Amino acid sequence: MAHSTAAVLILGLVCSTLLMSIRTAYRKHLRSIPGPCLARFTGVYRLSLVWKGDAPEQYRNVHAKHGKIVRVGPNHVSVSDPSEIQTIYGVGSKFLKTEFYTLMGPFYKGDVMHTTFSTRDPAYHRNLRSQVAAVYSMSNVRKLECYADECSAIFIDAMKARCADPIDIAPWLQWYAFDVIGGLTFQRRFGFMEKAGDIDNMIGGLDVAQSYAQFVGQFPKLHDYLFGSRVLMGTLKRVFPNLPDPLDRFMAIAEEEIVRYNTTVHQDGSRGDILAQLQATKDGQVPFRDVVNHITNNLIAGSDTTAISLRACIYYLLKTPHAYHALQGEIDAAFASGRLSEFVTYEESTKLPYLQATIKEAMRLHPGVGFPLERHVPPEGAVLCGKYLPGGTNVSMTAPVVHHDRTIFGDDAESFRPERWLETDEVRLKQMDRCSLAFGHGARSCSGKNISLMEMGKFIPVLLRNFELEWASEKPEWTTYCAWFWKQSDMLVRLKLRRQGDTKGLPES
Ligand code: HEM
């Protein structure tokens, strides 16, 4: 009797799940959107797109096969048409971030603390963003250049000491970027470069958090029962107090640094870092929790991203000799005519057109974020690519897909050719810039963009000024893996010191 009741219950459950799937699959409006059959019924299809860490390629293939608007999940639509960027992401757009982002909010003092990046609430977002708008402006970021210079000197020294053998430059670039972000955020260089390794598993922790977002992010409701569950997290922390939480370390550092700032003498204005600026805002202090929030955000968002872009610049230059020589020529000529300081300033770097084109082109071919940037269609619905999408549909564009659009970037969109940014007319250039999603777009675009552009513009000329780089790996290509951030590894290069006598001004090793 008990067996037959259980069987009936299971059968009922299976039937109702099936019926619900069929109903969702043939939902009005969405049923006319092309896409793989499996995607209509289950989120497993979306999981398959990110499973192997090659989401950028998978999403490109899906669009190549099904067109500009593709149904990639029961309630998920991926769009590749650049003309829809403004509608979905433009300033004033009512398309809000989806539940995917809730996975990126760290747990702080027993509750989720949504960051500028992870929050879905427009009012809360506006408040957080306004607290730091001036701090992240380019005019202010330029005051932070000294922290990048200090790290460049350490990097150059470390490379000088390792010139004899090929070196995997990929982790070095993350150690560099992490040390810069520590310096300019609160004047504490972590010392990744001196250690030549991870510290307190901070980079490892970020990778764990990424993997979580990669897989659980495809079924974000599960998050409420996993790392997003107050009960589960509270219990875990009570039962296993030493259980490492990948992001805890960053909030602990933020707190330590606020205490250090508040308990040391700094009234002489000697501290100009981001924490000092947040503590000295004219309308009274930013609340403690929000300062922790901003600082944590810098640590989480500020190293992987810049490192990925630096790697992309170096890799594509090494693989494209004509571009390498053109950039080297521009940098050498500028140094020879006294237009560049030993530690190139950001201002000087903006006057190197080929360098700026190289950075844009590298970020076009390999943007730091390789996942779809998900938004919800507002309640009233919207028309995208000529199709009506009901309110609540999860809609997204993926930078690596859009960046290969031939109508915008030309028939050779798949090649690395910095010249495309230099030889085009003003109207087209603006269009190319508008279609670059490397830093996102609109009100939710990257608030740390200026920090990264400052770092990259300064670092690349200093590196090429000091070293000749050569690909030294037996493998012709790097390895990449996308779990939201599109990270690269296996970048074995040989560095040869150039014009030894000319490196005056750089600290000796
Ligand atoms: C080359 C380096 C970087 C790249 C490629 C990058 C990429 C991005 C992208 C694509 C977004 C938009 C995400 C979306 O729409 O879903 C974003 C947002 C954001 N990024 Fe970056 N980022 C970089 C550096 C940084 C740095 C250095 C920081 C902080 C110091 C930072 C902090 C943020 C924040 C706070 C947001 C959320 C902004 C908002 O919603 O208002 N990023 N970034």
Side-chain angles (χ1 to χ4, degrees), residues 331-342 348 465:
I331 291 167
D332 288 352
F335 266 114
S337 60
R339 283 177 286 130
L340 293 186
S341 318
E342 207 58 54
E348 291 165 351
R465 157 81 163 159

Side-chain angles (χ1 to χ4, degrees), residues 60-77:
R60 267 186 217 134
N61 293 342
V62 162
H63 280 286
K65 188 161 176 199
H66 297 281
K68 292 192 168 207
I69 180 159
V70 183
R71 192 170 178 190
V72 289
N75 188 40
H76 298 75
V77 172

